[in-house]
C-alpha cells in the first residue's frame, strides 16, 4: 500500500517504512507527526483518489532528525561593470520515517 501526501507545497509518494525529507516542520527527534492531506491511496483494494483530499485518511510518521542541507552558492555577476555578489543558502529539512497508512 502506498499514499501520495502533500506537505510544504510539495507532493510525496510514501510507503510504510520509507524515510522522507520534507520542508522543516519544527519537530523534535522522536516526535510523532500525522499527515492528513492525503491526495491518493493505492493498495490491494484498488486506487482511491481524493477531491482534493481523501476524508479520514492519515499517514503517521516519526521524526528522525531536523537539519540543514548542503550549501548552495548563489553568485551574481555583470560583465564589464565590476559587479559581483556571492550569497549562500542552506535549506532546512525534517527527516521522517513513515509508519502506518490508515483510512478511517
Amino acid at each position: 500500500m502506498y499514499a501520495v501526501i502533500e506537505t510544504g507545497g510539495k507532493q510525496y509518494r510514501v510507503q510504510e517504512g520509507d524515510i522522507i525529507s520534507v520542508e522543516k516542520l519544527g519537530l523534535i527527534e522522536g516526535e510523532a507527526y500525522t499527515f492528513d492531506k492525503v491526495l491518493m491511496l493505492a493498495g490491494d483494494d484498488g486506487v482511491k483518489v481524493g477531491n482534493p483530499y481523501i476524508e479520514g485518511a492519515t499517514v503517521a510518521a516519526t521524526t528522525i532528525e531536523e537539519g540543514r542541507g548542503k550549501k548552495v552558492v548563489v553568485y551574481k555577476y555583470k560583465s564589464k561593470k565590476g559587479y559581483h555578489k556571492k550569497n549562500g543558502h542552506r535549506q532546512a529539512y525534517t527527516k521522517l520515517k513513515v509508519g502506518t497508512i490508515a483510512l478511517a
Side-chain angles (χ1 to χ4, degrees):
M1 175 179 231
Y2 71 89
V4 176
I5 60 171
E6 180 183 327
T7 180
K10 298 173 183 68
Q11 297 176 5
Y12 300 89
R13 180 191 183 275
V14 296
Q15 296 186 60
E16 291 184 10
D18 281 356
I19 294 176
I20 58 172
S21 188
V22 299
E23 296 290 322
K24 184 176 178 184
L25 297 172
L27 304 171
I28 58 174
E29 192 173 322
E31 190 174 346
Y33 187 78
T34 304
F35 295 100
D36 57 350
K37 293 184 175 181
V38 180
L39 301 164
M40 186 180 97
L41 282 175
D44 298 334
D45 55 337
V47 176
K48 186 166 186 147
V49 180
N51 187 16
Y53 307 116
I54 299 173
E55 293 290 325
T58 58
V59 175
T62 308
T63 308
I64 295 174
E65 70 170 327
E66 281 212 340
R68 289 172 38 169
K70 289 183 73 172
K71 182 175 273 193
V72 177
V73 176
V74 180
Y75 191 74
K76 297 179 181 181
Y77 164 78
K78 296 201 186 284
S79 62
K80 301 181 209 126
K81 302 296 177 195
Y83 174 78
H84 298 270
K85 189 172 201 109
K86 185 176 180 182
N87 200 351
H89 176 74
R90 291 179 67 192
Q91 186 66 39
Y93 68 86
T94 301
K95 197 173 279 191
L96 301 161
K97 179 170 181 147
V98 178
T100 58
I101 299 172
L103 179 59

